[in-house]
Amino acid sequence: MLKRKRKLPTLNNKTAIVTGASSGIGRAIAFNLAREGAHVFLTGRDAKRLEEAARTIKREGGVACIEAFDLHESNRLQAFIATTAKETGRLDIMVNAAGVDHPGTIADSDLSEWRDMFDINVIAMLVGSQAAVRAMRETKSHGHIVTISSGAGRGEGFRVYGATKAAINLLCITLRNELEDEPIRVVNVMPGAIATNFGRNFGPEFVNGLLKSFGLPAEFKTGDVLPDSTLEALNVRATALFASPDDIARAVLYAVTQPYDVNVSEILVGPRKAFPRHV
């Protein structure tokens, strides 16, 4: 006789925080968690896009709260997490999804760009994870701390950006070891190339050349936010080179719906073809 499969828990009445939730992977994660019943707290720099995301969640019957601030302000992130846990009485899921990439060589890059990448990709992840651990302990929550790293951090020399992601990968291992005797699991999700606005700091020659190669409008200037319609079209026309934010969100959802004695430590997910390394 076949054994009945264990029924996975739902996220009803659970509290989730997502950084970098105004667009891309973070927004997709927030949407997916909300659809499964979680009360999601979204943060990012763009208040208007956060409000749009919250309206979408509420329109679909979910519950969402937002607060816009820059993750360079570590005290704001700490307070946001502590207040969320205090208001809801729990913190079940913390997702460090914010990230930034400044392309360029070591010889020619600017110091401020290096600091920006380490501040957002590494320090904010540490600050958010530490505050989440403290909140989970305080509220006696069984929780998951999920960090969106990158396949670029797997030791293949992918610029300074890759070094920040390599640091994250090691820090996730360290935190996982520190918490192995507590009901808090640590998950590291490493995406490959994803069709988002993550490339907003790349040069227009590269971005417009890429868009043109797939027959898409190409009027990008460094720092621009590509419209959702362009990203959706890129997802449709370039699935071999780009995975979608929803692909990553589903991986996160899988990890956080496992029983707490199951340790989903690392997930590497991306498109079937590797993205060119020279970018």
Side-chain angles (χ1 to χ4, degrees):
M1 183 177 179
L2 294 174
K3 292 183 179 180
R4 183 176 297 175
K5 292 182 178 180
R6 261 191 309 189
K7 185 178 180 181
L8 297 179
T10 66
L11 301 180
N12 289 335
N13 303 315
K14 293 193 174 183
T15 297
I17 293 174
V18 184
T19 69
S22 58
S23 64
I25 293 173
R27 184 175 63 177
I29 291 170
F31 286 172
N32 277 265
L33 295 178
R35 290 185 188 114
E36 291 300 319
H39 182 173
V40 292
F41 289 75
L42 291 67
T43 184
R45 289 180 296 182
D46 192 324
K48 183 178 179 180
R49 290 177 70 86
L50 285 174
E51 289 167 359
E52 292 171 353
R55 281 197 296 270
T56 299
I57 289 171
K58 293 173 182 177
R59 191 163 54 243
E60 294 182 359
V63 183
C65 299
I66 65 169
E67 185 172 335
F69 57 87
D70 193 320
L71 288 182
H72 289 93
E73 301 176 75
S74 296
N75 59 327
R76 295 284 302 274
L77 178 57
Q78 291 168 327
F80 179 69
I81 294 169
T83 300
T84 295
K86 184 176 181 180
E87 289 180 354
T88 64
R90 61 193 301 156
L91 179 57
D92 303 279
I93 301 165
M94 172 70 197
V95 183
N96 298 301
V100 64
D101 182 9
H102 294 282
T105 65
I106 292 175
D108 298 323
S109 295
D110 188 83
L111 175 59
S112 64
E113 295 176 342
W114 298 342
R115 284 182 170 152
D116 190 35
M117 285 189 283
F118 275 95
D119 281 347
I120 298 301
N121 298 350
V122 182
I123 300 301
M125 172 265 182
L126 283 170
V127 171
S129 297
Q130 182 190 65
V133 168
R134 292 175 176 176
M136 289 172 181
R137 286 172 173 171
E138 180 69 23
T139 57
K140 296 180 171 56
S141 300
H142 288 203
H144 285 85
I145 297 175
V146 182
T147 295
I148 306 303
S149 179
S150 171
R154 301 179 71 214
E156 297 177 359
F158 205 92
R159 300 184 277 100
V160 175
Y161 169 75
T164 67
K165 294 302 184 176
I168 287 175
N169 295 346
L170 292 175
L171 290 168
C172 285
I173 294 171
T174 299
L175 185 59
R176 188 178 305 116
N177 292 339
E178 291 178 1
L179 298 174
E180 64 180 5
D181 292 324
E182 300 184 48
I184 303 173
R185 303 282 70 82
V186 177
V187 183
N188 179 13
V189 179
M190 295 173 280
I194 312 297
T196 69
N197 271 297
F198 192 72
R200 61 186 177 274
N201 292 320
F202 281 69
E205 299 84 2
F206 169 74
V207 176
N208 288 326
L210 180 69
L211 293 174
K212 287 179 180 178
S213 70
F214 291 104
L216 295 172
E219 300 176 353
F220 174 85
K221 299 181 184 65
T222 300
D224 282 355
V225 175
L226 292 173
D228 289 341
S229 57
T230 298
L231 295 174
E232 290 166 3
L234 191 60
N235 273 321
V236 171
R237 301 184 190 187
T239 55
L241 280 178
F242 292 97
S244 76
D246 269 338
D247 294 327
I248 311 306
R250 286 193 298 271
V252 171
L253 189 61
Y254 167 77
V256 301
T257 53
Q258 299 308 302
Y260 290 101
D261 57 352
V262 174
N263 189 2
V264 181
S265 58
E266 295 182 345
I267 302 177
L268 181 65
V269 57
R272 61 183 171 85
K273 293 183 69 174
F275 201 71
R277 278 192 59 187
H278 65 272
V279 300

